[in-house]
Amino acid sequence: MAEPEFTATGVRIGKRLRSLTRAGQVRISDGRLQLLTSYGSEIDSAPVQAVRASKPWFAPEDRASADVNGTRYSLTLGEHDPAPGKPGPPSARRFIEAVRKAAGRRD
C-alpha cells in the first residue's frame, strides 16, 4: 500500500448537528478520501474526484466541510499546522488544498 498523500488525526467529524467522532482520522490515499473513527472504522469514503471540500462562511479557521457521497460532513482540524515534529492535526486550509491537488483541480 502506498504512503498516504494526506493524513490528519484527532479530527472532530460531524454530520449536521450530530458529532460522529471527536478523535477521528481523515486520510487521502490512492485517489480516495476516507473518514475514519478513532478506532479505525470507516465512516465514509469516496474517490477524491467526487469529493468537494470547502471552508464554510463565518466559521472558525479550524473548520472545513467535505461533501462525500452526497453527505456533508463538518471537520474540525487544527487552526494552524503543528510545528515540525510536533503531534496535532494539520490546518483546514491544508486539507482543502490536499483534496484539490489529489483531484487534479486548481480552483
Side-chain angles (χ1 to χ4, degrees), residues 27-51:
R27 184 180 304 157
I28 298 174
S29 180
D30 298 327
R32 285 189 77 74
L33 173 92
Q34 293 180 306
L35 301 176
L36 306 169
T37 66
S38 55
Y39 298 108
S41 301
E42 187 173 285
I43 295 170
D44 208 344
S45 71
V48 78
Q49 290 85 4
V51 174

Side-chain angles (χ1 to χ4, degrees), residues 19-97:
S19 177
L20 301 175
T21 183
R22 289 187 282 165
Q25 287 186 346
V26 177
R27 184 180 304 157
I28 298 174
S29 180
D30 298 327
R32 285 189 77 74
L33 173 92
Q34 293 180 306
L35 301 176
L36 306 169
T37 66
S38 55
Y39 298 108
S41 301
E42 187 173 285
I43 295 170
D44 208 344
S45 71
V48 78
Q49 290 85 4
V51 174
R52 200 174 104 220
S54 61
K55 172 140 179 27
W57 285 18
F58 305 110
E61 287 296 314
D62 62 347
R63 298 262 172 93
S65 66
D67 291 336
V68 181
N69 295 326
T71 304
R72 176 168 287 169
Y73 294 96
S74 63
L75 309 173
T76 305
L77 296 111
E79 191 168 323
H80 303 288
D81 288 329
K86 299 285 182 179
S91 68
R93 180 181 86 306
R94 199 166 121 215
F95 163 71
I96 294 167
E97 290 171 1

